[in-house]
Amino acid sequence: MQSPKLRVRSLFCALLVLLLAAWAPACLAESAATSALNSDKGVLSAKAPVGYVGSSACVSCHPSESKAWSASQHSKSMSVATPATVRADFAGQKIENAGSHGRFFREDGQFKVETEGADGKLETFTVSHTFGLEPLQQYLVTFSDGRVQVLPWAWDTRPKEEGGQRWFHVYGDQPIPAGDILHWTGRQQNWNYMCAECHSTALHKNYDAASNSYHTTFSEISIGCESCHGAGAGHLAWAKDPARKADKLKGFSDAVPQRPLADWTSDPATGSPAKGVARPQGDVVELCARCHARRGTISEDWKPGRELAQTHMSSLLQRGLFEADGQMRDEVFNDQAFKQSLMYAKGVTCVDCHDPHSGKLKAEGGEICSQCHDKQKFADVKHAGHVATASSPDCVSCHMPVRTYMVVDPRHDHSFRIPRPDLTQKIGTPNACNDCHKDKSAQWAADAVEKWHGPVRKGLQIYGEAFKLAREGDPDARDRLIAFANNLDTPAVARGTAVLELSAFPSAAVTEAVRQRLKDPDPMVRVAAVRNIAMQPPEERLTRLDGLIADPVLAVRLEVGRALSGLQLDRLPPAQAAALEKLFAESEKTMRLEEDRPEGRANLATFFMGRQLYEQAEVELLAGLRLDPKASELSVNLADLYRGTGRDALAVETLQKSLALAPDNAAAHHALGLALVRQKKYTEALDQFSQATKLAPDDARFAYVYGVALKSLKKSEESRKVFLEALALHPYDPSLLNALLSDALAAGDVDAAAPLAKRLAAVRPDDEQIARLAAKLSGH
C-alpha cells in the first residue's frame, strides 16, 4: 500500500502525541450551533455526517472533561488561521535555508508566505489554517481544487531561551527542489490524504477522480469528542429519555469495551505487578492506534470498539521504519512500539498513563511509573546503576529513549525496552546508555550493565539478532524467524514481521510455519502470512487461502483479494467463484480509496493485470502518471503491460519518456534494457543494465541480469566481475550464487565452487541436488 517514501509523512504530521477517552461520557447537551466547513473549535460543521453533534454539545453535562479537552493539543490540532490561532511572527521576517526562501507577512488581514511554488518560482500564498500547537505549529494553504498543502516553514513555539520563537524549515538543511514529491506542493505534503484524518473529526476525503479535485469534509475542524466516542446524536437522545436509561451503550451505536478491573499491586520480590489482565478486542489501545500508528487507511467507516485492522493497514517492524530490534527509527507514532512491550502484554493501556481528555501524563517523569512499580526498588543504585540525584536519569530516560523529529520535536519510544548496549556491538542498534554517555563506547556501556545485572540479558524484545540476519539475507535467520513466528508469546507485531521476513527463506519448514500463522489470532499476522503465500503460484495460493476469503477483518480480506486476483474464475466451482467475485469487488472498492495517489493507481493496475483486465490496468497506470509524470514505477509497470500485449515499441517509448523526467530511476533503466533486448539492440541494452546496477547496488536482481547479459554476449570476464561485486553486497542471493557456481564448475575450479555450493545449500535447504553437490565438493 505504501510507497517507499511514504515514511516521510512523519515530517509534517507531527501532533499526534496525546490520547483521548476510552469510555462514553454520561450524557451530551444539545447544541444547535453549526457553521461552514471552516468551523471553530468544538463547533459542528455544516457538512458534518448525519448523527454528529459537535464537541460544543458536550459542555453542559461534562464541564470538567470539556475543560480538560479544551486545553489539550487535540482540540487545537487544526484551526482556521486567525490572530487568535496563529502563533508565528508574520511581521515581515525573511529566512533562507537549503536553497529555499521564506518571507512571512500580513496583508489585508490575512497571513501570507512568500516561497517557491510548484514551478520553483517565488510566489505568495495565503495561509488558510494552522496545524498543531507545540513544540511547533505548521501552516496550510488551500488551493482552488480543494487540495490543501502543508507549507515547509514551521514556527518553533518553544520559549526563546530553549531555542524557540523562530521560523525553521521542517527538512532542516536537506534541499527539497520543486517537483520532488517531498516539496511542499507535492503529494507527500498533501493534507487531504496524509494528515487530515487524524487532525479533524469524522473526516471524509471525497476525492473526485474525474476532476482530480477534493471536496473534503469533517464534522469538526479539530479532534473532538466524537473522534473517539463516535457520533453522539443517539447519546444525546438517550440523555433526554428516561425510558432509555437501561441502554448499556448509553445511546451510542458502538463503544470501546472496558478492560476488566486490573490489579497493579507490585510484587515485593520484583517491585513490579505480578498480575496482568485480559485485553478485550478493540480496546482503547486500538482506538488510539487509529492515529498513533504508522498505517494506511482502507476504510472511512470507523467505529469505536473495532480492531484497527478493520479500517487501517498497519506497518509491521519494517526496515527503514524500525531498527532491527524494534526500536523506532522513522516517526511511527507509538502504537507498533507499545505493542512490543511487556506492559502491553500485561494489559496496560494508553489511559493508564495519559489522562484521556487533556492528554497530559498523570504524573511527571519517572513518577508515572511508580503507579505500578516500587519506586524505591527501581531508584536503587543496584538497579539503576546511578546514585539517585536530581540530575540522575529516571525510568523514562533509560526505558523510553528519545528521537527528535521535525527538527524540534522529541518523541519517546513506547516499547519500554531494557537498554542493550551489547546489541549495539552485535547488530548496530542504538541504546539508551550511549544516548547519554556519547563519549563512551558500547563495550563500556555493556560492561557496566553486566556488572549491575549479570551476564544474562532479559526482556521481551529478543528478536533483534534474527531480524538483522534476515535483513542481510543470511539463511541462519530462518530457524530463528520460524521460532519467533510460532511462539504466541512473541509480540504479534514482531510475530508478523518474522512471517514477512520468512518470504526470503523458502523451505518446507517455512511453508508449515506460514500455514500455522494463517490461523493466528492477530489479524496483522494473518496479513503477513497472506503476503508470504502471495509469492506462490495462483492455484497453490487458493488452496491455502480459501479459508480466509470470508475472514472477519477487512485488512485480511483485502490482502487475500490481491493475492488471489490472478485466478481464472471460470475454472472454479460456482460457489467458490461467486465468493471470489464478491471479494474482488470489495478489494477494488477498498483500493479506490487511494486513487488520488500514483501508488494507489499502481495497486489497482496490478490487481487488474492479475485478473487479465489489461485495458482497465492501462487506464489506471495512465491516470497515475497524470497525477505524477515522474512516478517511474508506474512507467515501468505500463511498459511491462505494453510488452505483454505485444506493443514493444510503445514500451520503449514509455520508458524513454520516464527517464527523461527521472533519469536516476534504476528500475526504469533496467526495464528499458529488457525492452531493448527484445528489439535485439544489445549494446544499448547493456548500457541500460549497467546504469541500473550503478544506481541501485542494493538490488541484486539488476546486477544478476546485467551479468547474464554480458555473459550472453561472450564477455565472460566482465560478467564474472559484475557477479563477484554484487555477491560482496548480497552474499546469500541465490541467483548470484548459482551463476558463479556454474562458472566455477564449468572451469573445473573446485576450490571456488565448494564454498559457493555450501552457501547455496544453506539458502535452499530442501534442494537435494545442491545438498549432494555441496557434500561432494566439500570432501574433494
Side-chain angles (χ1 to χ4, degrees):
M1 295 276 298
Q2 296 178 332
S3 72
K5 289 190 177 180
L6 192 58
R7 66 190 68 152
V8 300
R9 74 178 183 179
S10 60
L11 294 172
F12 51 90
C13 290
L15 290 152
L16 310 178
V17 294
L18 303 175
L19 302 160
L20 285 180
W23 48 86
C27 64
L28 291 167
E30 186 172 14
S31 171
T34 60
S35 69
L37 180 63
N38 289 336
S39 57
D40 294 325
K41 180 182 70 175
V43 177
L44 191 68
S45 164
K47 297 186 179 180
V50 173
Y52 281 79
V53 296
S55 297
S56 296
C58 308
V59 176
S60 63
C61 285
H62 302 283
S64 60
E65 292 87 351
S66 294
K67 182 179 179 181
W69 168 78
S70 293
S72 74
Q73 289 201 39
H74 273 139
S75 73
K76 302 174 181 66
S77 59
M78 183 172 170
S79 301
V80 176
T82 69
T85 61
V86 172
R87 300 189 67 184
D89 184 351
F90 278 83
Q93 284 199 37
K94 294 181 182 179
I95 186 170
E96 302 283 341
N97 188 78
S100 184
H101 165 88
R103 182 168 71 93
F104 316 95
F105 60 100
R106 297 282 299 274
E107 184 177 274
D108 299 328
Q110 295 180 315
F111 298 89
K112 303 281 187 175
V113 177
E114 181 185 74
T115 193
E116 294 81 11
D119 58 2
K121 297 178 181 178
L122 286 180
E123 190 175 345
T124 297
F125 301 91
T126 300
V127 172
S128 59
H129 299 87
T130 66
F131 212 50
L133 191 67
E134 294 174 349
L136 69 155
Q137 187 175 66
Q138 291 181 273
Y139 301 97
L140 309 180
V141 172
T142 301
F143 291 90
S144 59
D145 59 0
R147 202 173 309 272
V148 181
Q149 299 290 133
V150 186
L151 283 160
W153 302 102
W155 180 254
D156 185 341
T157 61
R158 298 175 301 165
K160 195 167 186 176
E161 57 270 22
E162 294 179 15
Q165 300 302 297
R166 65 187 177 98
W167 286 101
F168 68 95
H169 197 286
V170 293
Y171 282 99
D173 295 328
Q174 179 184 355
I176 306 292
D180 192 296
I181 62 171
L182 303 183
H183 189 262
W184 78 272
T185 59
R187 69 178 187 261
Q188 294 299 86
Q189 306 284 19
N190 173 244
W191 166 87
N192 310 75
Y193 173 83
M194 298 294 292
C195 304
E197 181 187 6
C198 289
H199 281 255
S200 301
T201 303
L203 186 120
H204 289 273
K205 185 171 60 174
N206 294 332
Y207 174 72
D208 179 48
S211 61
N212 186 25
S213 62
Y214 292 93
H215 306 275
T216 305
T217 63
F218 43 65
S219 69
E220 286 182 55
I221 195 169
S222 61
I223 302 171
C225 305
E226 291 165 299
S227 286
C228 292
H229 297 297
H235 181 59
L236 190 147
W238 168 86
K240 290 181 173 183
D241 186 356
R244 297 180 59 188
K245 294 303 181 185
D247 180 2
K248 292 183 179 180
L249 292 180
K250 300 180 180 178
F252 286 102
S253 60
D254 303 271
V256 174
Q258 293 199 35
R259 183 186 63 193
L261 187 65
D263 178 6
W264 302 127
T265 304
S266 59
D267 182 339
T270 65
S272 296
K275 300 177 181 178
V277 65
R279 181 179 298 284
Q281 188 178 54
D283 72 345
V284 64
V285 178
E286 292 295 271
L287 171 71
C288 299
R290 181 187 175 203
C291 290
H292 290 269
R294 193 59 178 265
R295 83 294 180 278
T297 303
I298 56 176
S299 171
E300 293 182 334
D301 186 27
W302 171 84
K303 291 181 176 62
R306 287 186 175 187
E307 291 178 284
L308 181 64
Q310 292 288 13
T311 51
H312 296 80
M313 187 74 76
S314 294
S315 297
L316 295 169
L317 304 182
Q318 294 159 218
R319 54 194 80 185
L321 297 181
F322 295 87
E323 303 286 355
D325 64 349
Q327 291 185 73
M328 63 184 190
R329 183 172 183 176
D330 200 1
E331 191 171 17
V332 289
F333 308 112
N334 300 337
D335 179 67
Q336 286 94 336
F338 182 52
K339 286 177 178 173
Q340 297 176 64
S341 71
L342 182 60
M343 290 172 65
Y344 176 79
K346 291 289 188 180
V348 173
T349 71
C350 312
V351 296
D352 286 318
C353 296
H354 296 265
D355 179 84
H357 294 100
S358 70
K360 294 180 180 179
L361 285 169
K362 294 182 176 180
E364 292 301 317
E367 291 296 323
I368 190 70
C369 307
S370 62
Q371 292 183 114
C372 302
H373 300 277
D374 186 329
K375 179 180 178 180
Q376 296 304 317
K377 188 175 185 67
F378 288 103
D380 191 282
V381 68
K382 293 179 181 178
H383 173 81
H386 300 77
V387 177
T389 67
S391 60
S392 298
D394 60 11
C395 314
V396 175
S397 306
C398 295
H399 298 289
M400 298 183 72
V402 167
R403 280 185 181 266
T404 298
Y405 302 95
M406 298 189 72
V407 183
V408 300
D409 197 3
R411 309 290 178 84
H412 287 282
D413 189 306
H414 277 62
S415 53
F416 302 98
R417 61 183 59 244
I418 293 173
R420 295 290 304 272
D422 60 307
L423 285 185
T424 303
Q425 293 177 286
K426 292 180 181 178
I427 62 177
T429 50
N431 73 86
C433 302
N434 290 116
D435 284 350
C436 288
H437 298 281
K438 297 183 186 298
D439 60 329
K440 303 292 186 180
S441 68
Q443 180 66 60
W444 172 88
D447 290 344
V449 171
E450 186 168 336
K451 287 179 182 177
W452 301 333
H453 298 286
V456 179
R457 299 280 68 79
K458 300 176 182 179
L460 187 64
Q461 303 109 350
I462 57 173
Y463 30 78
E465 292 180 74
F467 288 168
K468 176 67 171 178
L469 289 171
R471 292 178 179 188
E472 294 171 347
D474 191 328
D476 283 348
R478 182 186 287 108
D479 289 345
R480 301 191 195 195
L481 293 173
I482 290 173
F484 286 124
N486 286 336
N487 185 357
L488 292 181
D489 289 332
T490 301
V493 66
R495 205 161 62 242
T497 304
V499 172
L500 206 55
E501 293 286 3
L502 281 169
S503 302
F505 306 100
S507 72
V510 167
T511 297
E512 176 58 23
V514 173
R515 186 183 70 81
Q516 292 295 329
R517 297 284 59 80
L518 290 172
K519 301 176 288 187
D520 198 278
D522 189 278
M524 287 309 301
V525 179
R526 301 200 297 276
V527 165
V530 174
R531 289 177 182 171
N532 188 305
I533 289 170
M535 301 179 186
Q536 305 302 320
E539 291 73 19
E540 188 171 340
R541 294 179 219 165
L542 179 60
T543 300
R544 298 191 191 180
L545 300 180
D546 185 53
L548 295 182
I549 290 174
D551 191 278
V553 177
L554 176 60
V556 180
R557 294 198 304 275
L558 174 60
E559 213 61 42
V560 172
R562 288 172 171 164
L564 298 182
S565 63
L567 292 170
Q568 300 305 301
L569 299 187
D570 56 358
R571 300 178 183 177
L572 301 176
Q576 195 173 43
L580 281 171
E581 281 286 11
K582 181 180 177 181
L583 177 64
F584 291 160
E586 181 183 46
S587 298
E588 180 181 346
K589 178 183 177 182
T590 301
M591 285 188 278
R592 288 217 174 272
L593 194 61
E594 289 196 334
E595 62 183 353
D596 57 330
R597 308 283 293 180
E599 63 270 24
R601 297 287 188 166
N603 287 334
L604 279 162
T606 301
F607 177 72
F608 287 135
M609 288 180 73
R611 302 200 64 194
Q612 298 185 11
L613 300 172
Y614 300 119
E615 290 185 7
Q616 289 175 251
E618 183 177 356
V619 166
E620 296 301 331
L621 290 169
L622 290 172
L625 286 168
R626 284 194 295 273
L627 292 173
D628 184 356
K630 292 186 177 181
S632 300
E633 62 276 15
L634 274 74
S635 295
V636 170
N637 290 345
L638 183 60
D640 189 56
L641 186 152
Y642 287 148
R643 178 200 59 77
T645 52
R647 293 176 279 177
D648 284 344
L650 193 52
V652 171
E653 180 184 339
T654 297
L655 292 167
Q656 289 172 336
K657 286 181 179 178
S658 175
L659 287 168
L661 294 171
D664 292 337
N665 186 275
H669 281 290
H670 178 76
L672 181 55
L674 294 174
L676 291 169
V677 165
R678 288 188 290 273
Q679 293 185 344
K680 299 184 179 181
K681 297 179 180 179
Y682 302 124
T683 302
E684 295 94 326
L686 275 184
D687 182 59
Q688 296 300 320
F689 291 145
S690 175
Q691 290 277 9
T693 303
K694 290 175 182 176
L695 288 168
D698 56 337
D699 194 319
R701 178 174 53 100
F702 294 163
Y704 172 73
V705 171
Y706 181 33
V708 169
L710 286 166
K711 188 173 182 180
S712 67
L713 294 177
K714 311 299 183 186
K715 298 185 178 184
S716 299
E717 284 305 312
E718 293 179 57
S719 170
R720 176 177 167 77
K721 182 180 178 183
V722 168
F723 286 145
L724 285 171
E725 289 178 351
L727 191 67
L729 296 173
H730 310 280
Y732 302 101
D733 183 80
S735 297
L736 295 171
L737 287 169
N738 194 61
L740 284 166
L741 177 59
S742 297
D743 285 350
L745 291 173
D749 188 347
V750 176
D751 289 339
L756 292 168
K758 181 180 179 181
R759 203 182 304 176
L760 189 59
V763 173
R764 296 176 174 172
D766 297 335
D767 191 323
E768 295 181 2
Q769 184 177 357
I770 291 294
R772 287 195 297 269
L773 176 62
K776 179 180 178 181
L777 292 174
S778 66
H780 190 275

